[in-house]
Amino acid sequence: KGEGDYGDLIAGIKWAADNRGSIINLSLGGDEPSSGLRDSLKYAYDKGIVIVAAAGNDASSVLYPAAYDNYCLAVAATDYEDKRTDWSNFGSQVDVAAPGLRIVCAVPTWYWGPGSFPYAFGNGTSLSTPQVAGLAALLKAIKPWLSVSQIMDIIRYSADDINSGSNPGRDDYIGYGRINMEKAL
C-alpha cells in the first residue's frame, strides 16, 4: 500500500544478495538517509548485483536509496514527448532517465475493486526504474563477465542526451540522458 520501513528494505536487499540475485529494482524511496541502508547496498554491490533505484516524484532532491550514488543507478522520468517530467526529482546523483508517464502497469485487484481489470496507467520514477533494471538484466545475460560498474557505465554512456539544447552533457535532471537500449546492447 505504498508504505514500508528501511528495516524490511535492508533485509530484502541482503536476502537478494545472499540468494544469487543479479539485479535489484528499487521502485521506492524515502527522505531520510540510513547507514544500514547504505551498508546493505554496498553489500549487494560488492556481491556483483546491479542496483537500480527511483529518484522520486516530488520535484525535489533525489530520495534514498537512489541518493547512494556509489552503489546504484538513480533513475529520473521522461514523458511521451521524450522530455523530463516536471515532477521527477533531480540532483547530482541522477544517472539516467526512462519513460515514466502514462505507463501501463499491473495493479492489485483491491486497488479498483473485485472483478476489476488488473492494469492501469501509472506515472512515476517507480515506472521508469524497471526499464533500466531490465536493460541491466539484458546486459548481464548477454555478457555475464561484465562487472557491476561496467554495466552501470554502459547504461550511462549509451544514453541519449535528450535535453542537450538546454543542459548539454551530464546534468542533474536526466543524468547522462534517456536510456537507449539498442545502443547499450
Side-chain angles (χ1 to χ4, degrees), residues 2-84:
E3 296 178 8
D5 62 51
Y6 283 170
D8 291 336
L9 178 57
I10 291 165
I13 292 167
K14 287 184 177 177
W15 185 92
D18 290 338
N19 287 277
R20 300 178 45 165
S22 57
I23 312 292
I24 297 176
N25 177 83
L26 297 172
S27 288
L28 48 80
D31 295 331
E32 297 297 320
S34 160
S35 60
L37 179 57
R38 184 193 64 240
D39 293 347
S40 69
L41 294 171
K42 181 182 183 320
Y43 180 75
Y45 180 93
D46 289 346
K47 285 192 160 230
I49 297 176
V50 179
I51 305 162
V52 186
N57 308 319
D58 55 5
S60 65
S61 57
V62 174
L63 298 176
Y64 296 93
Y68 291 120
D69 202 33
N70 292 334
Y71 308 115
C72 61
L73 288 168
V75 182
T78 58
D79 65 16
Y80 46 85
E81 293 181 341
D82 212 17
K83 295 182 172 130
R84 177 187 160 269

Side-chain angles (χ1 to χ4, degrees), residues 3-175:
E3 296 178 8
D5 62 51
Y6 283 170
D8 291 336
L9 178 57
I10 291 165
I13 292 167
K14 287 184 177 177
W15 185 92
D18 290 338
N19 287 277
R20 300 178 45 165
S22 57
I23 312 292
I24 297 176
N25 177 83
L26 297 172
S27 288
L28 48 80
D31 295 331
E32 297 297 320
S34 160
S35 60
L37 179 57
R38 184 193 64 240
D39 293 347
S40 69
L41 294 171
K42 181 182 183 320
Y43 180 75
Y45 180 93
D46 289 346
K47 285 192 160 230
I49 297 176
V50 179
I51 305 162
V52 186
N57 308 319
D58 55 5
S60 65
S61 57
V62 174
L63 298 176
Y64 296 93
Y68 291 120
D69 202 33
N70 292 334
Y71 308 115
C72 61
L73 288 168
V75 182
T78 58
D79 65 16
Y80 46 85
E81 293 181 341
D82 212 17
K83 295 182 172 130
R84 177 187 160 269
T85 63
D86 59 358
W87 42 259
S88 185
N89 287 13
F90 52 89
S92 62
Q93 303 92 340
V94 172
D95 292 289
V96 292
L101 183 67
R102 294 193 47 80
I103 305 298
V104 175
C105 57
V107 294
T109 53
W110 59 257
Y111 188 77
W112 297 112
S116 64
F117 193 60
Y119 298 97
F121 286 102
N123 302 322
T125 58
S126 289
L127 299 168
S128 306
T129 302
Q131 296 172 64
V132 179
L135 176 53
L138 286 170
L139 287 166
K140 187 119 178 156
I142 62 173
K143 296 185 178 187
W145 58 86
L146 291 175
S147 69
V148 173
S149 63
Q150 288 172 321
I151 290 171
M152 291 169 73
D153 283 346
I154 289 168
I155 292 170
R156 288 179 186 121
Y157 303 145
S158 63
D160 291 335
D161 189 8
I162 58 171
N163 65 351
S164 62
S166 58
N167 296 297
R170 203 220 71 76
D171 62 65
D172 289 352
Y173 299 101
I174 61 165

